[in-house]
Amino acid sequence: MGVFKYYDFFVTSFANLFLGGNTDGLLLKIILPVGISFYTFQALSYSIDVYREKLPAVRDIVQFFAFVSFFPQLVAGPIERAANLLPQFAAPRRFDCDTAVDGMRQILWGLFKKIAIADNCARIVDATFGSYQTQSGSTLALAAVLFSVQIYCDFSGYSDIAIGTAKLFGIRLMRNFNCPYFSRDIAEFWRRWHISLTTWFRDYVYIPLGGSRVSKSKIVRNTFVIFLLSGFWHGANWTFLAWGAYHALLFLPLILLGKNRKYTGAVAENRRLPSLREVGQMLLTFVLAVVGWILFRAETITQAADYFRHLVTAPWDNPIRDDIWPTILCILALLVVEWVQRYKPHALELSGIRSHILKFSIYYALILVIFLCYITSETFIYFQF
């Protein structure tokens, strides 16, 4: 992972500092293998757990390689643990129709998020970020919001497809997203976003460094370490490091004040609608996340700074064109469904609906929307990581 993903980055950074930017003959220019970050971390979890004697070394080579290379989640997660997957590979399995049906529902919901929403958001976001210098401030703000939706629907949609596909084989993968944009602070956001990576850094980096049971200065150190590593894990670019540092700064006051676990349950628990306070908290957390996503999406720190400058200084107008409305309606449908289903393992878990007519009406409506909204796209954001 160091050679394939980071060697050229470190050489280029060193050359810019000490060699006047001259990298002739120094760069490897190796094509990054798909999913290398996910594969490496999944394999590392097995090695570390065996080393710590939390898990016995597996003796069946087929089971081991099935764990390392289980295809549904290999390229973009979730990052699984050996303690969860290996026992499932070792146990005899029989086809379970109910589990398979539930897997197909989750695949359908993942396809809706990926094709109907993420790919259509990508079309608008790419065009705006590619010409941000000439866009109005409101258009830049809309593009930032749509990228926040895009990256969520792209990644969580793929995770749903992977988890649903695994269910067809009788394998249960861990949940990777839990309605992160319904979070009331940034700590809750990180408990709900890319859960498999967050818990990986918690278990294998944060806690071994002492976690929160050390001095305040070491808590600050530990917090920055895991967020900077999380940013760097996403890619060899200063923008990812800046994104990680930004979230560390947002997270730090909560952890120092002992409020980082203030919100652990579902928002508006046992209520149909959130309070005005909860709405305000969710909106603030979302805006803070959107600011971070601009850093994440930019190609360079300079471009990110320039984007923020144009966002503030450029005139504002009505940024919503007629061709954007279908995407906005799909996003609104997503928010409504995920809010109603926020207690369920996934949004299309319809065990509470007894009417088969209603269930199949929902399925066919989603399939119709997917076909109507389909555009040719090769964008899978997390495949590059």
Side-chain angles (χ1 to χ4, degrees):
M1 187 174 172
V3 171
F4 277 87
K5 194 168 182 178
Y6 301 115
Y7 174 84
D8 283 0
F9 170 76
F10 283 118
V11 169
T12 302
S13 299
F14 181 84
N16 288 336
L17 285 173
F18 302 108
L19 303 177
N22 182 21
T23 58
D24 294 343
L26 298 176
L27 301 181
L28 297 178
K29 298 181 180 178
I30 303 174
I31 296 174
L32 188 67
V34 173
I36 186 172
S37 297
F38 293 90
Y39 162 83
T40 305
F41 271 35
Q42 183 151 315
L44 270 173
S45 73
Y46 169 82
S47 302
I48 296 170
D49 284 350
V50 170
Y51 174 78
R52 291 176 175 175
E53 299 183 349
K54 291 185 175 181
L55 186 75
V58 64
R59 301 301 177 186
D60 188 321
I61 194 170
V62 175
Q63 291 176 19
F64 174 75
F65 281 114
F67 161 70
V68 171
S69 59
F70 188 50
F71 79 92
Q73 42 81 233
L74 182 64
V75 290
I79 303 168
E80 268 297 345
R81 306 295 180 85
N84 177 39
L85 274 192
L86 282 173
Q88 295 189 68
F89 290 135
R93 291 184 308 281
R94 293 181 179 178
F95 181 77
D96 186 303
C97 185
D98 291 338
T99 300
V101 168
D102 189 58
M104 293 295 288
R105 291 193 195 102
Q106 195 159 0
I107 290 171
L108 179 59
W109 185 247
L111 289 171
F112 168 71
K113 288 196 283 189
K114 175 70 180 84
I115 296 172
I117 299 179
D119 288 350
N120 283 280
C121 285
R123 172 177 56 86
I124 302 164
V125 170
D126 292 346
T128 304
F129 271 80
S131 59
Y132 69 91
Q133 300 93 333
T134 61
Q135 302 290 344
S136 66
S138 53
T139 301
L140 297 181
L142 177 64
V145 170
L146 290 181
F147 178 69
S148 304
V149 176
Q150 177 198 345
I151 195 169
Y152 168 65
C153 289
D154 187 280
F155 193 14
S156 69
Y158 180 86
S159 293
D160 282 334
I161 294 169
I163 295 168
T165 303
K167 287 179 180 178
L168 300 178
F169 295 89
I171 301 295
R172 293 200 174 267
L173 302 178
M174 71 180 297
R175 187 173 188 175
N176 212 18
F177 289 86
N178 185 11
C179 305
Y181 290 145
F182 294 152
S183 301
R184 287 153 288 186
D185 60 31
I186 211 68
E188 185 182 14
F189 173 84
W190 277 103
R191 281 193 296 275
R192 296 173 176 272
W193 178 274
H194 200 347
I195 299 168
S196 62
L197 179 68
T198 304
T199 54
W200 197 99
F201 276 115
R202 180 198 65 197
D203 294 343
Y204 298 118
V205 180
Y206 186 73
I207 292 176
L209 286 173
S212 301
R213 298 185 177 184
V214 289
S215 64
K216 295 290 185 183
S217 61
K218 288 185 177 179
I219 291 176
V220 173
R221 179 203 64 185
N222 297 345
T223 302
F224 271 92
V225 165
I226 61 166
F227 276 105
L228 290 175
L229 283 176
S230 176
F232 205 43
W233 176 89
H234 283 84
N237 195 321
W238 291 109
T239 55
F240 295 124
L241 282 171
W243 174 75
Y246 168 76
H247 275 278
L249 290 171
L250 295 179
F251 196 95
L252 206 55
L254 296 173
I255 202 168
L256 289 175
L257 295 172
K259 296 183 177 180
N260 56 306
R261 299 198 64 82
K262 184 177 180 180
Y263 302 112
T264 55
V267 63
E269 198 161 6
N270 301 320
R271 287 181 283 123
R272 186 168 296 177
L273 295 174
S275 65
L276 288 177
R277 176 185 174 84
E278 288 169 330
V279 170
Q281 289 172 322
M282 288 188 288
L283 284 174
L284 176 60
T285 303
F286 178 71
V287 169
L288 293 174
V290 169
V291 172
W293 289 131
I294 294 174
L295 281 170
F296 190 96
R297 177 59 176 76
E299 295 179 5
T300 64
I301 294 292
T302 302
Q303 186 189 77
D306 204 31
Y307 192 99
F308 283 119
R309 183 174 65 82
H310 280 84
L311 175 64
V312 174
T313 59
W316 283 52
D317 55 18
N318 181 11
I320 302 178
R321 307 185 306 270
D322 290 342
D323 60 331
I324 298 178
W325 274 111
T327 303
I328 292 177
L329 291 175
C330 286
I331 293 171
L332 292 175
L334 169 85
L335 291 173
V336 170
V337 172
E338 292 209 335
W339 176 262
V340 172
Q341 296 285 90
R342 64 191 185 280
Y343 300 108
K344 302 292 182 65
H346 61 87
L348 216 57
E349 203 281 306
L350 303 177
S351 58
I353 299 178
R354 297 184 179 275
S355 170
H356 289 289
I357 295 176
L358 179 56
K359 284 184 180 179
F360 278 89
S361 297
I362 294 171
Y363 302 152
Y364 285 120
L366 284 173
I367 292 170
L368 179 62
V369 170
I370 288 169
F371 275 101
L372 290 175
C373 295
Y374 172 78
I375 59 172
T376 303
S377 174
E378 297 179 359
T379 302
F380 289 86
I381 295 174
Y382 270 75
F383 278 22
Q384 65 184 299
F385 306 137

